Amino acid sequence: LEPRSPIVCILGHVDHGKPTLLDTIRKADVVSGEAGGITQHVGAYQIERKGKKITFLDTPGHAAFSKIRERGANLTDISVLVVAADDGFMPQTDEALKFAQRAQGSIVVAINKTDVKGADLDKVKTHMQERGIPSEDWGGETVTVAISALKGENIEDLLDMILLQSEVMELKANPNAIAEGVVVEARQEIGRGATATVIVQKGTLKTGDIVVCGSVYCKVKAMLNDRGEKVKTAPPSTPVNILGWSDAPQSGDIFRKVKNDREARNFANDALRDAKSKLVSVPVAAVGDEEEAISGIDALFAAIAKTKANAYRVILRADVRGSVEALKSSLEEIKSDKISLEVVQSEVGQITKNDIGMASMSGADVIGFNAKMENGVIGEAKHHEV
């Protein structure tokens, strides 16, 4: 085992300044490109401080993205909980705290917006005391740093505290093991095909390696770091964007290196078969067992009644896997007795003519989020009244 850099996750309530903090740390602008000021794409970035590297995971704070956020907190060593000095702890701050505690890493609280009107550090520290994570200067063990992400105040202190925490934790990994890690986000990119941002957890990933992740596999054509520069190797705790996937993998899935193409295909096909076998429905009972047969007939009638009930069918498309999931779960949370929601298909990538054809056959609507359209889709949709 050799020392590795810490993986840090920035959590907190929506609008409490997480991306601004990351921007200040990276000296780059991420915020302006997001829709409605919500981070949808989980980014992973690496910075260097005093010759040591720190990997940051930016996880969306919006409620719909709690699934991604749960994954974010599970592969991290240190969670930075961002709390606005004027608001204190909010519902999502509490939720984020629960994730962080479940992930059993260490927690650092960054009290942001210390320069705004109504900022009250003691209020935040009282909130921390109430939640059983008292700050160090109040006799507790939680490292607390007051910062202003916008003005860049005390950011260096925060980074030093993160490095200090990681030294105490003695984080280690084996760089010579078989490469393994987690998919943070996946997308379909025009001209590049399926790409995925991953974080290597053990071993060293190299260009040309063959990895398998669930039912998809990948011969690593190229690896790009967070600045879009090509890299040849990715040691533990390094985030890279990998090109060369057979399809977009699921976020949160584990990938691992295999010997060759054949082995990768076999693993992927096995995973696909397992997934399909879970979907195969239970057969209707044989007529011999009368009681079971009756329940079978009842089930049949219920199914018929259900098809007569109004169902709103949708086909979902989004630019990245996390957004598809969030969109799907948000729609499924809308409850109604009169109408049921049926997601016919949910995929990553642009809206295609096939989607329109499928929508027309199944009487569905197509909903795209941040998704582009193939040429001629509009005309096709008008023709089919989709």
Side-chain angles (χ1 to χ4, degrees), residues 154-232:
N154 289 354
I155 302 294
E156 314 240 303
D157 295 358
L158 180 63
L159 295 179
D160 290 342
M161 284 304 176
I162 289 171
L163 285 175
L164 193 68
Q165 284 295 92
S166 73
E167 273 171 34
V168 172
M169 292 167 82
E170 295 184 349
L171 305 169
K172 289 188 167 88
N174 179 356
N176 305 317
I178 292 169
E180 202 174 278
V182 177
V183 174
V184 179
E185 185 58 282
R187 65 189 76 189
Q188 289 281 2
E189 289 184 43
I190 295 167
R192 276 184 177 175
T195 68
T197 304
V198 305
I199 287 188
V200 181
Q201 286 180 300
K202 64 181 192 193
T204 302
L205 194 64
K206 301 180 184 75
T207 312
D209 280 354
I210 291 158
V211 298
V212 67
C213 176
S215 58
V216 297
Y217 55 92
C218 166
K219 182 170 185 184
V220 182
K221 276 190 205 157
M223 294 191 291
L224 308 173
N225 65 12
D226 55 45
R227 291 176 210 87
E229 302 154 357
K230 279 194 176 176
V231 289
K232 289 264 170 31

Side-chain angles (χ1 to χ4, degrees), residues 8 19 45 50 55 67 76 92 113 152 157 192 208 213 227 246 249 265 268-269 274 277 309 349-350 378:
V8 180
Y45 318 102
K50 296 183 174 170
T55 298
K67 223 181 192 168
T76 50
Q92 279 170 356
K113 305 191 181 181
D157 295 358
R192 276 184 177 175
C213 176
R227 291 176 210 87
S246 59
R265 281 199 179 88
N269 291 337
D274 288 351
S277 66
Q350 55 178 359
I378 300 266

